[in-house]
Amino acid sequence: MDWAPDSVIVRLGGEIWIKKSWTRRWYLRRLVRNIRVVLEHYDVAYDQIIRRNGRVFVATCEAQASAKRLSRIFGVSSVSPALNTGTDLDAIVNVSLSVAQRILTAGNSFAVRCKRVGKHPYTSQEVCRVVGRRILEALADRKVRVDLDNPDLRIGVEVRDDLAFVFAEVIKGVGGFPLGVQGRIVGLLSGGLDSAVACWLVMKRGCSVVPLYFDNDPYTGESVNKRTVEVARVLSDWAVGFPRSLYIVSYGASLKEIVEGTPRRLTCILCKRLMYRIAERISDRVGAEGLVTGEAIGEQASQTLRNLRVLDEAAERYPVHRPLLGFDKAETEMLARKIGTYEVSARSVEGCEAVPYKPATKAKLEEVMEAESKLDIKKMVDRCVGGLAVVSL
Ligand code: ATP
Ligand code: MG
């Protein structure tokens, strides 16, 4: 029998396993829904999605293509293209042998691993022994050998109640929790490297992100807008089945008031504080539980520990989450590459012209509030929220 996988084994992240049974069931339901929408979105043919004892099996004639897609769904720790053999031991052995014939070359070492849940007339050790012996006999001319500790190749057998699968490959999944099991969060998305990674990190933990972009025109140009839309699209590809939209605030007029009406060294701090306030109003509107930003300690002048404190004070009703707080730039870059935002985010665009030559690194809350008293903050927030645009990606 030739080795043509007809299924994908989908394994859940370990953290899902330590949840109480009702939480786990709910997570699993959400995961299965997310799997379905991803396969349908990418036109991957499948017959059914089966749940058994906390595992998910997808029956599909496009096992390789779907495995690749499924490995990028949050909550999936690994996937394996597999062949459904039925639980009869002879069938398992025969399929395992044909897999071995396909993948083992002269001198290779191998190991057979079996996981079994349910009642069967054999134990998992027996499966390993019988399959191993049969491969050694049949491939004696290739001088293959068993190495349980450090094999060149592994052949896996997974038996769950009335189902059994043989597989040869384990593809690492993205991990995390199924998207949607946590609430909504407003992501302040600038199109730069950091905020995209920050949004992705909370998505990975199950939050659905509402991306919010402040268009600083005329202090930034069209290339920045374009970059943000592209980044938001990449993030949306990780959230198939969720709204594909970008919230855009026309922010230039407000930034102009800050630049012209307050001390220049405070521009970035005042700008961010106003952004937070507007983001809070958007959170009200979309029913979010908080804000997420790409700030990391000391990464910019406005991100010193002191300045972060002054920024935080502007968000009165929602927490500001900063998943990159302790990240080095290189770590963020590495993640951005994995996510797929790096290419777009790293593109050179003109910087914000409102940034002063010497921004304050140790702003005092009193001086910031004093500067804000010269602005009509409420009016600025109302104007920005009133002019909010929601763009489909
Ligand atoms: P990034 O790499 O995300 O662009 P940054 O390192 O350039 O951020 P700042 O410009 O200080 O840092 O911005 C800090 C955070 O504020 C960003 O990570 C982002 O979450 C938010 N932010 C900044 N500018 C904008 C913007 N124009 N629209 C939306 N959010 C923004
Ligand atoms: Mg940054």
Side-chain angles (χ1 to χ4, degrees), residues 215-271:
D215 175 359
N216 291 336
D217 177 54
Y219 295 98
T220 55
E222 192 45 38
S223 64
V224 181
N225 297 353
K226 216 167 143 262
R227 186 180 68 162
T228 309
V229 169
E230 283 180 47
V231 167
R233 281 201 186 116
V234 176
L235 286 179
S236 280
D237 289 344
W238 288 92
V240 176
F242 289 77
R244 283 180 74 91
S245 39
L246 175 65
Y247 287 57
I248 303 180
V249 164
S250 180
Y251 197 60
S254 303
L255 187 50
K256 186 160 186 281
E257 285 185 45
I258 293 172
V259 167
E260 292 178 357
T262 59
R264 287 291 281 133
R265 52 188 284 283
L266 297 180
T267 299
C268 294
I269 291 176
L270 296 172
C271 165

Side-chain angles (χ1 to χ4, degrees), residues 6-79:
D6 59 3
S7 309
V8 181
I9 302 173
V10 181
R11 303 181 189 86
L12 277 59
E15 268 184 273
I16 299 178
W17 283 105
I18 54 179
K19 300 281 176 213
K20 287 271 191 330
S21 60
W22 54 87
T23 308
R24 199 165 60 231
R25 269 200 300 277
W26 170 47
Y27 279 27
L28 250 161
R29 267 203 308 279
R30 175 50 87 159
L31 181 66
V32 168
R33 171 203 173 271
N34 292 351
I35 288 175
R36 187 171 298 122
V37 285
V38 164
L39 294 178
E40 277 161 19
H41 178 81
Y42 288 109
D43 270 335
V44 179
Y46 71 95
D47 295 326
Q48 52 176 338
I49 302 172
I50 308 162
R51 274 167 58 178
R52 278 286 189 295
N53 317 90
R55 275 267 205 282
V56 176
F57 303 99
V58 179
T60 166
C61 57
E62 297 183 65
Q64 292 292 353
S66 51
K68 200 172 129 241
R69 296 287 178 201
L70 298 172
S71 68
R72 287 167 62 93
I73 294 179
F74 296 119
V76 172
S77 74
S78 69
V79 297

Side-chain angles (χ1 to χ4, degrees), residues 187-196 212-216 227 272 275-276 292-295 299-300 302-303 329:
L188 278 72
L189 189 71
S190 66
L193 203 75
D194 302 305
S195 43
L212 172 63
Y213 169 58
F214 293 86
D215 175 359
N216 291 336
R227 186 180 68 162
K272 293 280 141 46
M275 281 185 183
Y276 285 11
V292 60
T293 71
E295 282 138 349
E299 204 247 344
Q300 304 273 354
S302 58
Q303 299 171 19
K329 200 70 188 179

Side-chain angles (χ1 to χ4, degrees), residues 77-382:
S77 74
S78 69
V79 297
S80 293
L83 188 60
N84 186 346
T85 61
T87 55
D88 179 62
L89 186 57
D90 283 342
I92 293 174
V93 173
N94 287 338
V95 172
S96 302
L97 179 59
S98 58
V99 172
Q101 273 163 336
R102 174 70 85 87
I103 65 171
L104 293 179
T105 54
N108 271 168
S109 61
F110 73 97
V112 181
R113 305 244 192 269
C114 176
K115 283 214 170 98
R116 193 184 62 82
V117 177
K119 268 189 175 311
H120 305 97
Y122 44 76
T123 65
S124 48
Q125 282 96 331
E126 269 166 345
V127 173
C128 295
R129 242 190 344 262
V130 177
V131 171
R133 197 183 318 127
R134 184 72 192 284
I135 293 173
L136 285 174
E137 285 164 10
L139 299 184
D141 55 334
R142 292 191 204 170
K143 298 197 165 39
V144 299
R145 63 198 162 78
V146 171
D147 182 344
L148 295 182
D149 297 323
N150 192 21
D152 295 324
L153 292 154
R154 291 183 173 82
I155 292 167
V157 179
E158 170 130 353
V159 188
R160 299 250 155 179
D161 297 331
D162 56 327
L163 299 172
F165 298 88
V166 172
F167 59 93
E169 191 186 358
V170 178
I171 301 165
K172 200 169 160 17
V174 64
F177 292 132
L179 194 65
V181 298
Q182 296 288 338
R184 228 168 262 151
I185 190 162
V186 169
L188 278 72
L189 189 71
S190 66
L193 203 75
D194 302 305
S195 43
V197 174
C199 288
W200 185 87
L201 282 171
V202 294
M203 288 164 75
K204 183 158 82 76
R205 299 298 289 180
C207 307
S208 117
V209 168
V210 177
L212 172 63
Y213 169 58
F214 293 86
D215 175 359
N216 291 336
D217 177 54
Y219 295 98
T220 55
E222 192 45 38
S223 64
V224 181
N225 297 353
K226 216 167 143 262
R227 186 180 68 162
T228 309
V229 169
E230 283 180 47
V231 167
R233 281 201 186 116
V234 176
L235 286 179
S236 280
D237 289 344
W238 288 92
V240 176
F242 289 77
R244 283 180 74 91
S245 39
L246 175 65
Y247 287 57
I248 303 180
V249 164
S250 180
Y251 197 60
S254 303
L255 187 50
K256 186 160 186 281
E257 285 185 45
I258 293 172
V259 167
E260 292 178 357
T262 59
R264 287 291 281 133
R265 52 188 284 283
L266 297 180
T267 299
C268 294
I269 291 176
L270 296 172
C271 165
K272 293 280 141 46
R273 279 169 62 93
L274 189 62
M275 281 185 183
Y276 285 11
R277 291 182 177 108
I278 296 162
E280 287 199 298
R281 290 275 294 275
I282 313 289
S283 295
D284 293 338
R285 192 183 280 195
V286 300
E289 307 284 353
L291 318 180
V292 60
T293 71
E295 282 138 349
I297 296 174
E299 204 247 344
Q300 304 273 354
S302 58
Q303 299 171 19
T304 59
L305 201 55
R306 165 71 68 81
N307 286 353
L308 288 176
R309 177 180 166 203
V310 173
L311 293 186
D312 254 358
E313 199 274 342
E316 288 176 340
R317 293 173 295 116
Y318 292 89
V320 180
H321 299 291
R322 301 186 174 101
L324 302 188
L325 209 58
F327 277 41
D328 291 346
K329 200 70 188 179
E331 292 170 308
T332 307
E333 281 177 9
M334 216 160 66
L335 262 179
R337 283 180 206 278
K338 170 175 162 177
I339 298 165
T341 51
Y342 183 84
E343 295 287 306
V344 190
S345 286
R347 195 189 297 155
S348 143
V349 291
E350 64 279 18
C352 175
E353 284 177 11
V355 175
Y357 175 66
K358 200 164 187 295
T361 52
K362 277 197 168 183
K364 290 198 180 67
L365 186 56
E366 303 75 53
E367 62 172 340
V368 168
M369 288 171 76
E370 158 74 21
E372 280 177 352
S373 71
K374 306 219 162 47
L375 303 167
D376 190 341
I377 297 283
K378 181 169 180 325
K379 201 173 109 207
M380 291 161 93
V381 172
D382 286 345

